[in-house]
Amino acid sequence: MSSKHILDWDVNKKHFLLVRDFYERYRGEMNLVLLTGDATLDSKIAEKMTHRPGLALTGFTDVYSNRRIQVLGSTEWAYLESLGPEGRKLVFAKLARFPTPLWVLTHSLPPHEELLAMCEQYGIPLLRTKLGTQEFVTLAHRILAEWFAPYSDIHASLVDVYGVGMLYVGDSNIGKSECVLDLVERGHRLVADDSVRVRRIGDAVIGSCNSIVEHHMEIRGIGVIDIPRLFGIHAVRRVKKIELIVELQFWSPDASYERTGLDEKFANVLGVDVPKVVIPVSPGKNITVISEVMAMNQLMKLNGVNVAQEFNARIIQAMHDKGRRSPESELGSAFGRTDELYE
Amino acid sequence: MVKRVLPVTNRLGIHARPAGMIVDITTHAKSDVQIHYGDLRANAKSILNVMMLAAEPGSEVTFVIEGEDEERVADELQKLFENRFNED
């Protein structure tokens, strides 16, 4: 039952990005100008890659990634320019048979009539950007990777504790929200309570809040509260990488809990292994300080210090030294030097 | 009360991992469990107490167990030591 909270998330994927959404969201940042009619913006992007159709322009279309965004840089533009109007007419007559989601001209290059005609006729949007080709492609890949990233909406809470993204999972009424509120009160930052949108971007698992709920919380007995208005803007953040999963469980006398810290557990989240700890909770037990300690310990591990391993090495060294020590020094090490009392 | 003398036969002695296994048994026991090693006495339900002994390979420890499940706890501990804490 315990791991089901973590492993049984339904993974969703977006199937397309409407060019209208892309254009309206990024027209400022990418300096986009729409060269075709407004209706062409209803086109859908379904692949998270871009394509530079150099070979397709030369007539080789046996392999042509036409479902991707088609990017024309100065190379492609210069080639089209060299063809003259008749040559371009032939090229675009052939390419018109392949459905494409979007064409983009970089470096603010002026569109050729033949390209514009093809786009208008088939309802394909044509955008122009001031950005260079590499800049546009890099930015577009980032945007598309985030948009098409697999995601889950999970019942959990996410808090940034000393810069460590801690995701709290566990049964309802185990006290996740109370723990989160306690952490916020101690100066840590709420990302999302009760529902977290989790996305995988590259090898990272990123959590964010729901855009409607944002940083509201429900506390039983009080109702809905607004965290940034109560505690200030520093009490919240919108997005955070998930670095530690804290599974809260009702304490059970029969269960075994980690004692040494030598065995690290992981939970697989959207294909990424994220460190996980199971914390037993009993009524009245304060897990806030434990949370802070876990965050600091995690920071130490990220900085290459593993106290559990160091401590174990110390014990093994002590056993090893025993054979070579007199009983007096053993006594000294066990009880501390008494002269320290008089310093 | 049960007294059980157990030889430490695993390669590394009672370091953190074996100590964790010992307290996993003792903390689930209803009995009081003491661990004696040389002149040192420790509460066998505390992992730091057990590790503090640094009982090395080739030594012996004595468990002193008192309570309703003392026999069962002694047998479980004996089995753990005989299996060399599943180390090898």
Side-chain angles (χ1 to χ4, degrees), chain A residues 252-257 259-260 262-263 308 311-312 315-316 318-320 322-323 330 334-335, chain B residues 12-17 20 23-24 27-28 37 40 45-48 51 53-57:
Chain A
S252 151
D254 302 322
S256 290
Y257 301 101
R259 303 296 295 250
T260 62
L262 287 173
D263 295 309
F311 188 68
N312 198 25
I315 294 160
I316 291 168
M319 290 181 210
H320 185 74
K322 262 184 197 168
E330 198 176 304
F335 297 103
Chain B
L12 288 173
I14 303 181
H15 59 103
R17 222 177 272 282
V23 296
D24 201 33
T27 50
H28 289 111
Y37 170 76
L40 299 170
K45 296 192 180 198
S46 154
I47 189 166
L48 283 171
M51 287 194 282
L53 303 176
E56 76 268 31

Side-chain angles (χ1 to χ4, degrees), chain A residues 159-193:
Chain A
V159 188
D160 173 340
V161 183
Y162 296 131
V164 180
M166 313 246 291
L167 184 79
Y168 291 85
V169 295
D171 290 341
S172 329
N173 74 44
I174 196 152
K176 290 192 293 290
S177 293
E178 288 75 6
C179 172
V180 167
L181 194 57
D182 222 13
L183 285 166
V184 166
E185 207 272 330
R186 291 172 71 101
H188 303 291
R189 301 172 73 186
L190 170 72
V191 183
D193 184 51

